[in-house]
């Protein structure tokens, strides 16, 4: 029975398992919906088999799998470079403590119905709904915990408090400011004509153009929220964490935004 001593574990081992499970969960959330999800699942399976062969003292197979995993680390860094960047941005956010973006904020479950946000979400949604009717192209990036100063510097700086007429004037077709994205921080439009990174993901439907790919691109690399109005169809899209979020009407969109910003 000596070979099965690995089955004896204490409180530290339980904590270790919980922490690993949490880490895997957040990594899964980062890669979910991308091509990298299949690679991630494959890595988890190979690692579990490797640990099992080590525990059972299957020396030859465990050495082969161990060598495969150690050599593959460099390849994984290349494959998951976008996900690693996003993970590090999330962990190292300068606003993690000051803006309550961490654990303390999530523990305030008793106030979950009080959706307090400094951003005028209703003005943003109403402006998008009106511009959707006229098929006016819109690309709005809303800053959350990750600072987007690197984006702000690519466009024209602005400091206009959010209201519906301001947003409509920015994206008016004959306006010199309508090209590119508008960046929102707090309750202010802080930059216009901002240049966004474009996603190369193959999961984006072919009917979506460069504007939508740019929305996915910035939401893949940061925790920003993005609203897009299609110039061709007038459809309003909400992008978060590199994914298109579904909503039934503009009221549900406003409620979802408030929850994500609260």
């Amino acid at each position: 029975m000596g070979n099965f001593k690995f089955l004896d574990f204490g409180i530290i081992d339980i904590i270790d398992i919980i922490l690993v499970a949490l880490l895997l969960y957040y990594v899964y959330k980062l890669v979910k919906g991308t091509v990298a999800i299949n690679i991630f699942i494959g890595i988890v399976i190979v690692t579990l088999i490797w640990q099992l062969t080590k525990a059972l003292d299957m020396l030859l197979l465990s050495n082969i799998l161990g060598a495969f995993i150690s050599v593959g680390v460099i390849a994984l860094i290349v494959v998951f470079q976008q996900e690693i960047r996003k993970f590090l941005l999330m962990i190292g956010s300068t606003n993690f403590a000051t803006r309550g973006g961490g654990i303390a904020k999530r523990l305030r479950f008793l106030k979950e119905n009080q959706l307090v946000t400094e951003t005028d979400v209703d003005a943003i949604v109403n402006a998008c709904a009106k511009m959707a009717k006229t098929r006016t192209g819109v690309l709005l990036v809303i800053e959350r915990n990750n600072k987007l100063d690197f984006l702000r510097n690519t466009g024209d700086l602005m400091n206009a408090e959010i209201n519906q007429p301001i947003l409509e004037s920015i994206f008016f077709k004959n306006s010199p400011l309508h090209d590119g994205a508008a960046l929102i921080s707090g309750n202010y439009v802080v930059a216009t004509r901002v240049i966004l990174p474009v996603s190369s993901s193959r999961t984006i439907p072919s009917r979506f153009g460069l504007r939508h790919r740019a929305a996915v691109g910035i939401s893949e690399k940061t925790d920003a929220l993005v609203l897009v109005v299609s110039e061709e169809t007038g459809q309003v899209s909400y992008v978060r964490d590199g994914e298109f979020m579904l909503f039934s009407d503009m009221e549900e969109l406003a409620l979802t935004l408030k929850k994500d910003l609260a």
Side-chain angles (χ1 to χ4, degrees), residues 161-235:
E161 189 171 5
I162 292 174
N163 58 57
Q164 188 173 338
I166 283 288
L167 294 174
E168 292 176 13
S169 64
I170 289 174
F171 290 103
F172 179 63
K173 292 180 180 179
N174 294 327
S175 167
L177 303 177
H178 82 282
D179 285 331
L183 177 59
I184 292 175
S185 179
N187 199 41
Y188 289 85
V189 179
V190 295
T192 57
R193 299 208 303 173
V194 170
I195 300 173
L196 302 182
V198 178
S199 173
S200 58
S201 173
R202 296 181 180 273
T203 62
I204 301 174
S206 58
R207 68 179 183 276
F208 291 138
L210 195 60
R211 186 178 284 114
H212 291 84
R213 285 193 168 274
V216 173
I218 189 60
S219 66
E220 285 177 338
K221 292 177 170 59
T222 71
D223 67 349
L225 308 176
V226 190
L227 286 172
V228 186
V229 177
S230 171
E231 205 167 12
E232 289 75 24
T233 65
Q235 178 185 1

Side-chain angles (χ1 to χ4, degrees), residues 75-221:
L76 291 178
I77 293 174
V78 175
V79 172
F80 287 103
Q81 57 179 328
Q82 290 187 353
E83 287 76 16
I84 292 172
R85 173 186 171 87
K86 187 176 179 181
F87 181 75
L88 294 176
L89 277 171
M90 180 179 66
I91 296 297
S93 172
T94 55
N95 296 326
F96 184 76
T98 58
R99 291 183 60 178
I103 298 174
K105 178 180 177 181
R106 298 179 184 275
L107 291 178
R108 293 185 299 196
F109 57 90
L110 294 177
K111 297 183 179 180
E112 63 182 358
N113 292 326
Q114 301 177 9
L115 301 178
V116 179
T117 172
E118 58 180 325
T119 307
D120 192 346
V121 171
D122 292 327
I124 294 173
V125 172
N126 290 337
C128 287
K130 187 172 180 180
M131 288 186 283
K133 293 179 180 178
T134 59
R135 297 191 178 182
T136 301
V138 174
L139 185 54
L140 275 174
V141 180
I142 306 174
E143 182 182 82
R144 288 205 289 177
N145 292 318
N146 297 150
K147 283 292 186 181
L148 302 178
D149 292 340
F150 69 98
L151 286 181
R152 189 180 309 188
N153 296 331
T154 66
D156 298 328
L157 298 182
M158 197 175 188
N159 190 32
E161 189 171 5
I162 292 174
N163 58 57
Q164 188 173 338
I166 283 288
L167 294 174
E168 292 176 13
S169 64
I170 289 174
F171 290 103
F172 179 63
K173 292 180 180 179
N174 294 327
S175 167
L177 303 177
H178 82 282
D179 285 331
L183 177 59
I184 292 175
S185 179
N187 199 41
Y188 289 85
V189 179
V190 295
T192 57
R193 299 208 303 173
V194 170
I195 300 173
L196 302 182
V198 178
S199 173
S200 58
S201 173
R202 296 181 180 273
T203 62
I204 301 174
S206 58
R207 68 179 183 276
F208 291 138
L210 195 60
R211 186 178 284 114
H212 291 84
R213 285 193 168 274
V216 173
I218 189 60
S219 66
E220 285 177 338
K221 292 177 170 59

